[in-house]
């Protein structure tokens, strides 16, 4: 809105804030106006005909001659009001326009005179506020903004970490509960400064903050497995079987991202074999080394797949000519070295546990040493048969047979047969010296002649599965010692999963107990270091072991401490029901050992009692 100026400056008008009812002119005089009146275009001609304007000019000229300061009176104010009342018609007050908040995320609308947003509480810019002309004259908008920003932002040199802004505070409690408070910004309406203050204290649950990451889905473990008060044994066996199948599928997917035939690839295959072995122990009745269903089921997963060129077939490669002069299949085969083929053929028969066919094949190919060694561990009649054939073929040969006879020069490198023949001789654990053959070198040093053993070649270690399968298929007197020795070799080379397979199949000679037990071979199945996956597999093995000895206390005492830590983790996570079931399983295991155990000591029982007390209080608060 515009208001006429005095007579000293012609044709100039003042424009000012419409919310202010007075202003000061250049001479410091106060001028009043009506903010509700409509604007009128005061031209120069209207000023001459305007009595009020002329009177104002005359009064100002008199005051200039007298050099006295002008002071408005009640009469002058009455004349001004009457002038606007006569010349400008009264209009209704227009509706006040609402201004949006400058913050993009805020949807609040505020009056032009508001200093702070009614929605979010943020201070509004100085241009939108109503200030008097004197204040606006003293501080321009640019100057006001710089002062306002300086008051809100602390000096970064004194607070580089911005501690003044505050930080969230979280306190974890039992049962997955959390006390959470976040700082909030509070505006001071008098000083126009926003300061952080502590927020409200809220009680949250840890489950609400869990995020499910796609691609890393882990199958749900059906624990507790042993002594679960809510699930029966048959149902538990089904749940465990499905869980192992899901875990094996996850491992098979991991194989796709690993280089084929690498060390990591073979170790992952050993891990899959270990999980499958535990699954067989859960699903099949009987016990290990029962020479019945359990051994057959174990062999079905341990026995490797043979090459297609070593399939079982009838004897098609005779080592000599018949009386009719029938030659071998071809001259090329006659010139080839058939050592690997023939040894693989014997190994194939022994992997299937068919010693008789292995002996017959050795007789047919004039491999008398192999036939005598294998038949000595079958029965006396077969051994006598081998000797009779040897006498007929080697001691009754005619001159024509000696001239036309072709001998097979068999000399190969087969680990499984080396170990198996040593076991046939009764070597026991010492037979595993034949598993790895190292080229021992003697090096001259300043301290004398020293023996240097080169590192074991990976190509020898990957044959551990063939060696294990051929031992299981051909039981001997001291084969369990050999299995333990094979596991020790694999463990020394870092093949932990493969070593644990050997230890599980030789429980009589492989101690499975806590870390502090003398000569212990393994504690957690599948790993030398504690891990969640190894603990879960050990808990499944504990359940499988209990199925074969239902009348005795079959829980693993050293595993109860791990179970207690697992139960506390569930309780802290808010899974009170699962923690309560683990507490019952641990308590029942402790009670089953009436004579006591070194791992079920008083400190463990006190911690179990404390867990039970916490669970009772948590469930009481939850139900109450």
């Amino acid at each position: 809105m515009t208001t006429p100026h005095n007579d000293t400056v012609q044709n100039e008008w003042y424009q000012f804030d419409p919310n202010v009812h007075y202003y000061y002119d250049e001479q410091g005089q106060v001028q009043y106006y009506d903010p509700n009146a409509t604007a009128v275009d005061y031209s120069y001609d209207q000023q001459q005909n305007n009595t009020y304007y002329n009177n104002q000019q005359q009064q100002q000229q008199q005051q200039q001659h007298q050099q006295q300061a002008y002071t408005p009176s009640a009469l002058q104010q009455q004349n001004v009001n009457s002038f606007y009342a006569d010349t400008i018609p009264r209009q209704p007050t227009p509706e006040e326009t609402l201004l949006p908040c400058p913050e993009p995320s805020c949807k609040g609308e505020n009056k032009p005179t508001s200093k702070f947003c009614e929605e979010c509480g943020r201070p509004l810019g100085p241009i939108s506020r109503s200030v008097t002309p004197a204040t606006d004259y003293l501080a321009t908008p640019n100057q006001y903004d710089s002062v306002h920003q300086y008051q809100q932002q602390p000096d970064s040199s004194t607070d580089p970490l911005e501690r003044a802004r505050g930080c969230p505070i979280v306190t974890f409690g039992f049962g997955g509960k959390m006390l959470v408070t976040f700082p909030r910004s509070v505006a001071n309406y008098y000083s126009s400064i926003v300061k952080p203050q502590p927020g409200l204290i809220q009680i949250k649950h840890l489950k609400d903050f869990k995020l499910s990451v796609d691609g890393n889905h882990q199958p749900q473990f059906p624990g507790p497995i042993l002594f679960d008060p809510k699930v029966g044994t048959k149902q538990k066996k089904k749940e465990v079987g499905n869980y192992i199948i899901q875990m094996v599928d996850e491992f098979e997917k991991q194989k796709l991202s690993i280089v084929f035939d690498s060390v990591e690839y073979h170790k992952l295959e050993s891990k899959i074999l270990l999980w499958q072995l535990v699954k067989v122990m859960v699903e099949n009745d009987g016990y290990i080394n029962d020479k019945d269903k359990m051994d057959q089921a174990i062999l079905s997963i341990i026995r490797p797949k043979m090459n297609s060129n070593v399939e079982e077939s009838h004897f098609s490669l005779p080592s000599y000519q018949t009386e009719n002069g029938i030659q071998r299949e071809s001259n090329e085969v006659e010139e080839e070295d058939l050592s690997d083929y023939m040894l693989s053929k014997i190994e194939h028969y022994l992997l299937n546990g068919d010693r008789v066919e292995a002996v017959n094949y050795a007789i047919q190919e004039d491999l008398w040493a192999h036939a005598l060694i294998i038949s000595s561990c079958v029965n006396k009649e077969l051994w006598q048969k081998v000797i009779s054939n040897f006498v007929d073929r080697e001691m009754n040969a005619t001159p024509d047979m000696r001239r036309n006879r072709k001998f097979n020069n068999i000399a190969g490198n087969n680990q499984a047969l080396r170990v198996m023949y040593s076991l046939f001789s009764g070597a026991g654990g010492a037979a595993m010296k034949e598993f790895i053959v190292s080229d021992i070198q003697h090096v001259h040093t300043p301290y004398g002649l020293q023996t240097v053993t080169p590192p074991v070649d990976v190509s020898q270690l990957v044959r551990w599965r063939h060696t294990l399968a051929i031992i299981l298929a051909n039981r001997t007197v001291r084969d369990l010692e050999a299995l333990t020795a094979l596991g020790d070799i694999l463990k020394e080379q870092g093949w932990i999963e493969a070593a644990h397979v050997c230890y599980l199949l030789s429980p009589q000679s492989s101690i499975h107990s806590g870390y502090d037990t003398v000569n212990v071979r393994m504690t957690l199945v599948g790993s030398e270091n504690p891990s969640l996956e190894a603990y879960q597999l050990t808990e499944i093995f504990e359940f499988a072991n209990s199925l074969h000895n239902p009348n005795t206390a079959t829980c693993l005492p050293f595993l109860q401490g791990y179970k207690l830590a697992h139960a506390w983790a569930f309780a802290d996570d808010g899974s009170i029901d699962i923690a309560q079931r683990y507490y019952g399983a641990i308590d029942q295991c402790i009670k089953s050992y009436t004579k006591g155990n070194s791992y079920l000591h008083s400190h463990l029982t006190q911690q179990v009692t404390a867990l039970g007390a916490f669970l009772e209080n948590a469930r009481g608060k939850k139900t109450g």
Side-chain angles (χ1 to χ4, degrees), residues 97-109:
T97 304
L98 298 179
L99 301 178
C101 179
E103 178 65 26
S105 60
C106 180
K107 299 182 180 179
E109 295 182 347

Side-chain angles (χ1 to χ4, degrees), residues 339-469:
S339 298
D340 293 338
Y341 174 81
M342 292 184 177
L343 293 179
S344 298
K345 194 77 172 180
I346 296 175
E347 180 187 0
H348 176 69
Y349 286 120
L350 292 179
L351 283 173
N352 293 326
D354 196 349
R355 304 185 194 181
V356 176
E357 289 298 330
V359 170
N360 292 333
Y361 178 76
I363 293 173
Q364 195 268 338
E365 297 296 338
D366 286 345
L367 304 177
W368 301 109
H370 296 268
L372 289 171
I373 293 174
I374 298 173
S375 63
S376 65
C377 297
V378 180
N379 52 53
K380 187 175 181 180
E381 290 77 9
L382 184 60
W383 183 65
Q384 291 176 351
K385 176 183 176 181
V386 173
I387 295 177
S388 176
N389 283 271
F390 174 75
V391 171
D392 292 340
R393 297 283 293 278
E394 299 295 335
M395 303 301 172
N396 295 326
T398 63
D400 293 337
M401 293 177 60
R402 289 197 299 269
R403 285 193 303 267
N404 298 324
R405 185 173 179 178
K406 299 293 180 67
F407 291 93
N408 292 319
N409 187 14
I410 301 301
N413 183 13
N414 193 299
Q415 292 172 282
L417 290 182
R418 290 201 307 261
V419 174
M420 196 69 248
Y421 290 170
S422 297
L423 288 176
F424 286 157
S425 67
M432 282 303 145
K433 295 179 181 179
E434 303 296 335
F435 177 70
I436 295 178
V437 178
S438 301
D439 186 10
I440 300 177
Q441 301 175 0
H442 300 281
V443 180
H444 292 279
T445 63
Y447 303 98
L449 188 64
Q450 292 186 356
T451 303
V452 178
T453 303
V456 180
D457 190 4
V458 179
S459 61
Q460 300 186 59
L461 294 175
V462 296
R463 299 282 299 177
W464 71 272
R465 187 173 177 180
H466 296 74
T467 305
L468 175 62

Side-chain angles (χ1 to χ4, degrees), residues 21-130:
H21 295 260
Y22 64 91
Y23 77 99
Y24 293 91
D25 58 11
E26 293 181 351
Q27 286 75 27
Q29 300 174 1
V30 178
Q31 301 295 337
Y32 295 90
Y33 72 99
D34 188 357
N36 296 322
T38 58
V40 179
D41 185 12
Y42 291 94
S43 63
Y44 180 74
D45 295 336
Q46 289 176 342
Q47 295 178 14
Q48 293 179 352
N49 297 328
N50 195 325
T51 305
Y52 168 77
Y53 193 85
N54 294 334
N55 292 335
Q56 292 292 332
Q57 289 180 352
Q58 293 176 3
Q59 292 177 2
Q60 291 176 2
Q61 290 176 1
Q62 293 176 2
Q63 292 172 357
Q64 289 177 1
H65 289 293
Q66 296 176 2
Q67 296 181 358
Q68 295 179 355
Y70 174 77
T71 303
S73 61
L75 180 59
Q76 292 175 341
Q77 183 176 1
Q78 182 178 2
N79 292 335
V80 173
N81 295 335
S82 63
F83 162 74
Y84 281 104
D86 296 337
T87 58
I88 302 175
R90 172 73 64 175
Q91 297 293 335
T93 303
E95 295 182 0
E96 196 170 20
T97 304
L98 298 179
L99 301 178
C101 179
E103 178 65 26
S105 60
C106 180
K107 299 182 180 179
E109 295 182 347
N110 309 278
K111 297 180 180 180
T113 58
S114 300
K115 296 183 179 180
F116 297 90
C117 179
E118 298 179 357
E119 184 70 20
C120 64
R122 292 182 174 86
L124 302 178
I127 299 178
S128 63
R129 299 196 220 148
S130 175

Side-chain angles (χ1 to χ4, degrees), residues 181-184 186 196-200:
T181 178
F182 293 90
R184 59 179 180 175
V186 178
Q197 291 185 1
L200 299 176

Side-chain angles (χ1 to χ4, degrees), residues 255-274:
K255 287 175 60 177
L256 301 177
S257 60
I258 301 177
V259 179
F260 177 75
D261 207 22
S262 61
V263 177
E264 291 76 11
Y265 184 86
H266 289 290
K267 287 185 177 181
L268 186 56
E269 281 192 333
S270 303
K271 186 176 184 179
I272 295 174
L273 188 63
L274 178 62

